[in-house]
Amino acid sequence: MPMSVKLDDILSTLDSEFPQAQARLLEFLRIPSISTDPAHRGDVRAAAEWLCAELVGLGFDASIRDTPGHPMVVAHSPKGTRRPVLFYGHYDVQPVDPLELWTSPPFEPAIENTPAGPVIRGRGASDDKGQLMTFVEAFRAWKAVHGALPTDLVLLFEGEEESGSPSLRPFLRENADELRAGIAMICDTSMYADGRPAITTQLRGLLGQEITIRAADRDLHSGSFGGLAANPIQLLVNALASMKDATGRITLPGFYDGVPELTDELRADWQALGFDAADFLLRVGLKHPIGEKGRTALEMVWNRPTFEINGITGGYTGEGFKTVLPAEARAKVSFRLTGTQDPETILQAFHAHIRAAIPADCTVEFHGHGASPASRMNISDPAFAAAKQALSEEWGREAAYIGAGGSIPIAGDFKEILGMDSMLIGFARDDDRIHSPNEKYDLQSFAKGARSWARILAALT
Amino acid sequence: MPMSVKLDDILSTLDSEFPQAQARLLEFLRIPSISTDPAHRGDVRAAAEWLCAELVGLGFDASIRDTPGHPMVVAHSPKGTRRPVLFYGHYDVQPVDPLELWTSPPFEPAIENTPAGPVIRGRGASDDKGQLMTFVEAFRAWKAVHGALPTDLVLLFEGEEESGSPSLRPFLRENADELRAGIAMICDTSMYADGRPAITTQLRGLLGQEITIRAADRDLHSGSFGGLAANPIQLLVNALASMKDATGRITLPGFYDGVPELTDELRADWQALGFDAADFLLRVGLKHPIGEKGRTALEMVWNRPTFEINGITGGYTGEGFKTVLPAEARAKVSFRLTGTQDPETILQAFHAHIRAAIPADCTVEFHGHGASPASRMNISDPAFAAAKQALSEEWGREAAYIGAGGSIPIAGDFKEILGMDSMLIGFARDDDRIHSPNEKYDLQSFAKGARSWARILAALT
């Protein structure tokens, strides 16, 4: 840490000003900024304006930037000699239905004592207004102590994250020079487990496809045609079953090209997490991990590619029975990708596999549902070690590098469009009920989250 | 034919009285006896009463017999020394929607000239009131010529055929002694092709099953669980794909036990039909017969068992995409059975096959949708040769023994409950549009159908 940074003073300020920080977050949470609901369009803008005003008040050069959808809030601290850092969060929230399951009104947030400690209850408390405000409160305390903001900060807060971020990629492209930084901080994830801070350093990519197989030009009666006419459900089922061999490996030629083995460093970090696969499965009513032999559970979900059938439909599926040979059958499937697996190469191999299973008088049609490669951050960037150290000091536990089995598109977008890695650091808990009734954010997450960012800001120069 | 039967006079009477026969059928067709629609309950009964009155007028001991659903009409001619013959048909009809597709009101039947000849247009004209009346007009002409009905006839006309015949089997059981005959005549099928009369001598059986495979106790996110948690769609797909080998043979152990090879007699009859599989498939937009190698197309649909997936569903199937690992997946499947294949044995083998594909922490649930063995008539019974000869004479073309790929449950019910074979002889055409708007019955089918039954009655002693 540069000798000039008064970290202890900043942390003390955060502690002493915490009641005011809570009040600000409650005010922010009272704005029902549901981005998917056109009736709340004005509320979404109001949340952007509230946030922008906060940032202007702190000395940021902040503005509301219109998009075809909901606006972005972009802010810059004064230019200096620090390595530029972008901070990303979102100020929109999920819908609240079913409303009757809330124990208190979702937009009348309050501090509530629970057996596990005090929480802030309300829609958006965890996802993502509470987390976003951990950034803002850290900046505020820094300003209070130093009389000026840290230099070279770029803030990007969007209002469409819960609606699929349709404006984000165009906005990044159009404002790439303005937004590009050395690294991005994303505060929209959870801690690894209660009390253990984590930095997500790799995310699986996603390749989604819909397949429609068509045989006869109408539904047929299986009494008249069964045994003679192709059944598109059987064709689909055969094609999908042969995607994996008996050991669970995906059979597409070249599929595993670019799939990396774990480094010793990450293997050790993941081992230390003490992940209990049996318990993880038991919580959803299962006992036996499936997938490739000889891989640990965390490897399977974080570092190995998968093929999953996410939906399938064909023929008669209502009550009772119909002896139909349907005209078509459909499936939605997805691959999770790791390392440098190329979505386009895999797409071509998948299409060839399916086509090879279809007779000449039947057809198959493909429809894409996204294709993004895996994200792997360069953890030899000293910022990672610095942030890990800062998190470990704040939480009193060794922070971990972890993976994520899912895709967080913003990280891929930053990499692809702005050429920068992201650090995904979040303080949400698994029981925060994000997207569900009675969302909450632990007061501890809010307090120590802001303190964590103060430490990270101090550690990055 | 017994010397005493005046067949020529009967046929002449049928011809000369044909205008009156048409008028009677039109009257019968005006009764909207839709059995599936509770609003037409009274009409169904009215049709039963109309038919019963016709039979009483001809000298039958006829009565309406109530059931928990719609009534049966049962009639007996005087006892004599002939081998008893049961005649079966149904007086209920299909619903008429979509009504706007009818070119004339479905229950205002009329004779209509078409390029292919005159037809009777109206709901039930072919299925089955017109066909049923071919019996009645033959009996009437016989009575007119001989002054008495043929002896030893048992007539059974039901009013629930289009609603799945829920009362039929209980009624057969409760009245078995009264209804049992030497053979049954069923007039509810089509000619093999325009102008070629046929007797269906074998029907495939049907075993229907619904499978539900359950894995986790809730839908999972494929990012968090993909690669680790069992996917019930994949399990289902694997289990169904392995039901057949690469040559199209069904892999269940013992599945082909009891599947007969064609006799030389039937092979010759079927060969003579000149069935054009390529044309048959082309009409529904296909080109290539599938199924076991080395089997003719008619063998595949009439004499070989099949396994078909009739419906499948699981996961997300709406617009767009969801990266879900669903909690369950379902399929409806059916086997068509031939020869003496035992539905229960096959059911057990099928259950064992599916269970073997399911991990110990997942479950499978089966739900039955019918299990009936194949029907094969004993064509060495002289009645078959007699009827075949009579049909050949009436139509001026060699009648054929044919098979049916579908199941006609009534034939199996007669065999199982009353111990008698059935002759399925019908005069409908493939273009009669049964169950569809603008149903019709060729006037030629009605006229020559009645003449055919007169010849068959004369040939049976």
Side-chain angles (χ1 to χ4, degrees), chain B residues 395-416:
Chain B
W395 293 84
R397 295 187 63 178
E398 183 70 15
Y401 289 147
I402 63 174
S407 308
I408 301 183
I410 182 72
D413 294 340
F414 284 160
K415 183 73 177 180
E416 181 191 336

Side-chain angles (χ1 to χ4, degrees), chain A residues 228, chain B residues 192 270-278 280-281 283 297-298 301-302:
Chain A
L228 195 62
Chain B
Y192 169 70
W270 292 8
Q271 194 72 38
L273 294 173
F275 178 73
D276 185 339
F280 183 70
L281 287 173
R283 279 187 269 158
L298 282 187
V301 289
W302 288 349

Side-chain angles (χ1 to χ4, degrees), chain A residues 228-245:
Chain A
L228 195 62
N231 181 334
I233 306 179
Q234 185 77 54
L235 296 174
L236 180 63
V237 150
N238 292 354
L240 294 177
S242 55
M243 284 292 297
K244 291 184 186 172
D245 69 15

Side-chain angles (χ1 to χ4, degrees), chain A residues 170-452:
Chain A
F171 190 83
L172 295 182
R173 280 204 197 86
E174 285 158 25
N175 301 279
D177 288 343
E178 177 188 349
L179 298 172
R180 191 174 292 114
I183 197 158
M185 302 288 169
I186 300 174
C187 192
D188 192 20
T189 52
S190 297
M191 306 190 76
Y192 170 70
D194 274 2
R196 184 192 281 267
I199 305 173
T200 302
T201 68
Q202 58 181 54
L203 302 154
R204 290 196 289 194
L206 183 66
L207 173 62
Q209 282 276 301
E210 185 160 345
I211 316 165
T212 305
I213 295 177
R214 296 191 177 89
D217 58 17
R218 70 202 72 175
D219 285 0
L220 304 176
H221 189 281
S222 78
S224 310
F225 286 88
L228 195 62
N231 181 334
I233 306 179
Q234 185 77 54
L235 296 174
L236 180 63
V237 150
N238 292 354
L240 294 177
S242 55
M243 284 292 297
K244 291 184 186 172
D245 69 15
T247 71
R249 270 180 78 88
I250 292 156
T251 56
L252 295 184
F255 180 77
Y256 289 92
D257 292 353
V259 175
E261 290 298 323
L262 267 187
T263 61
D264 290 343
E265 180 184 8
L266 285 182
R267 189 178 297 278
D269 254 36
W270 294 7
Q271 194 70 38
L273 295 173
F275 178 72
D276 185 338
D279 178 66
F280 183 69
L281 288 173
L282 200 60
R283 279 187 268 158
V284 298
L286 290 173
K287 284 182 187 167
H288 306 296
I290 54 125
E292 297 167 273
K293 308 294 174 207
R295 300 286 177 182
T296 67
L298 281 186
E299 236 185 314
M300 283 307 304
V301 289
W302 288 349
N303 204 52
R304 297 298 296 175
T306 65
F307 170 75
E308 294 290 356
I309 309 167
N310 304 107
I312 193 166
T313 184
Y316 182 71
T317 59
E319 283 299 302
F321 208 87
K322 280 192 186 175
T323 51
V324 65
L325 291 190
E328 66 173 50
R330 287 186 296 124
K332 293 178 202 269
V333 304
S334 59
F335 296 88
R336 297 279 177 184
L337 307 178
T338 63
T340 58
Q341 280 184 299
D342 176 37
E344 183 56 30
T345 304
I346 289 169
L347 186 66
Q348 295 313 320
F350 176 65
H351 286 188
H353 173 90
I354 301 291
R355 288 207 176 94
I358 307 300
D361 56 349
C362 299
T363 63
V364 58
E365 187 182 314
F366 298 99
H367 182 73
H369 286 289
S372 59
S375 295
R376 289 175 87 199
M377 310 309 163
N378 171 23
I379 58 178
S380 66
D381 179 330
F384 279 84
K388 196 181 188 195
Q389 175 68 16
L391 287 170
S392 301
E393 284 170 5
E394 173 58 31
W395 293 85
R397 294 188 63 177
E398 183 69 16
Y401 289 147
I402 63 173
S407 308
I408 300 182
I410 183 72
D413 295 339
F414 284 160
K415 184 73 179 182
E416 181 192 335
I417 301 172
L418 303 181
M420 62 184 173
D421 278 354
S422 297
M423 268 193 236
L424 296 120
I425 299 173
F427 309 100
R429 309 295 174 114
D430 285 345
D431 64 354
D432 276 358
R433 309 184 60 83
I434 64 166
H435 296 205
S436 294
N438 303 317
E439 179 177 349
K440 63 89 177 163
Y441 194 46
D442 289 4
L443 224 47
Q444 188 203 42
S445 288
F446 187 43
K448 291 176 80 68
R451 288 171 54 98
S452 296

